[in-house]
Amino acid sequence: SDLQKQEERGELLQPLIFVLLVLCSILLYFKVSLMDPGFVKPEEEVKEGEDKGQSVVIPQIPGDIKLRRCGYCLVKQPMRAKHCQLCQHCVRRYDHHCPWLENCVGERNHPLFIVYLSMQLVVLLWGGHVAWSGLYFEQSREWLQHNIFLLVSFLLILIFTIVVLLLLVSHLYLISCNTTTWEFMSHHRISYLRHSELENPFDQGIILNLWRFFC
């Protein structure tokens, strides 16, 4: 049959890989959106020894900066944590609240969020290539009627590809600097950054920053 001939020629391998990538992307979406991003629980009070450990790791932050209690959920916030009013929780190493995921991106799911964006980018680039290869251009109304769906699909894929690419590049840049979107956007309002001698006291070099984030 034609299906067996296509299988023998290896023509079914690429569609199968594409479908698997789409399924992996969907699974990653649900995993990142449903998992705990690093909520600070009331019983997880920061101990004095942990505070000292932080001051050893980050000596550039003045010692007179005290960890404060959240005005909303009343937990003692670890450094780099922030309260999300949409999730109604404080999140460790808070990055941002993602409306696509309906969840915060924080300490626990941030690496998976980067993997998800990378997978999405691969799927979009592949889909864009397929859509482009199916287009043949003619200046006629009949051509437009037969190819309008494919053309609109390609334009939508192109827009989403640009958005995902910019988002992924910006996140990788912030990760390489060991900072978060919240810290980058609100540097002047965060006490441990505003009073620090260095612009970014958490930066320990690109290689070490990437290693600690992903590993």
Side-chain angles (χ1 to χ4, degrees), residues 20-212:
L20 289 176
L21 287 175
V22 173
L23 290 176
C24 288
S25 177
I26 294 173
L27 290 175
L28 280 170
Y29 171 83
F30 284 108
K31 175 67 175 177
V32 177
S33 62
L34 296 176
M35 73 180 296
D36 179 355
F39 294 136
V40 182
K41 298 179 176 60
E43 62 271 16
E44 295 178 355
E45 293 290 346
V46 180
K47 299 178 182 179
E48 183 179 355
E50 293 175 344
D51 296 343
K52 290 179 180 178
Q54 284 184 335
S55 64
V56 171
V57 175
I58 313 161
Q60 297 85 358
I61 294 179
D64 57 345
I65 295 180
K66 303 297 182 182
L67 300 182
R68 66 183 183 88
R69 287 197 177 274
C70 175
Y72 296 95
C73 53
L74 302 178
V75 297
K76 197 170 185 179
Q77 287 183 334
M79 191 171 289
R80 311 189 78 177
K82 182 184 180 295
H83 184 86
C84 175
Q85 296 191 23
L86 295 174
C87 293
Q88 294 297 311
H89 284 285
C90 286
V91 181
R92 294 178 180 273
R93 202 181 183 279
Y94 175 87
D95 189 88
H96 71 287
H97 183 92
C98 181
W100 292 359
L101 301 172
E102 283 297 323
N103 193 14
C104 283
V105 175
E107 184 179 71
R108 295 189 61 189
N109 64 349
H110 200 172
L112 271 181
F113 178 72
I114 299 300
V115 176
Y116 165 70
L117 287 180
S118 303
M119 189 72 69
Q120 281 284 84
L121 183 61
V122 171
V123 171
L124 287 168
L125 288 173
W126 197 333
H129 172 71
V130 171
W132 177 261
S133 62
L135 288 172
Y136 60 95
F137 294 95
E138 293 180 5
Q139 293 183 351
S140 65
R141 185 175 180 180
E142 183 180 354
W143 174 88
L144 186 61
Q145 290 177 347
H146 284 86
N147 292 272
I148 184 66
F149 178 75
L150 199 58
L151 186 60
V152 171
S153 299
F154 175 76
L155 293 177
L156 288 176
I157 290 173
L158 181 62
I159 293 172
F160 283 119
T161 301
I162 294 173
V163 172
V164 172
L165 179 62
L166 292 176
L167 192 59
L168 179 61
V169 170
S170 64
H171 272 275
L172 289 175
Y173 168 74
L174 294 176
I175 292 166
S176 68
C177 299
N178 197 3
T179 188
T180 64
T181 303
W182 170 58
E183 290 172 342
F184 182 78
M185 300 295 292
S186 306
H187 188 280
H188 61 288
R189 294 193 289 111
I190 302 174
S191 59
Y192 59 81
L193 295 179
R194 189 173 66 247
H195 297 102
S196 174
E197 297 176 1
L198 299 178
E199 184 176 355
N200 180 14
F202 303 105
D203 188 6
Q204 296 181 315
I206 295 177
I207 296 177
L208 191 56
N209 291 338
L210 293 174
W211 174 264
R212 290 193 169 183

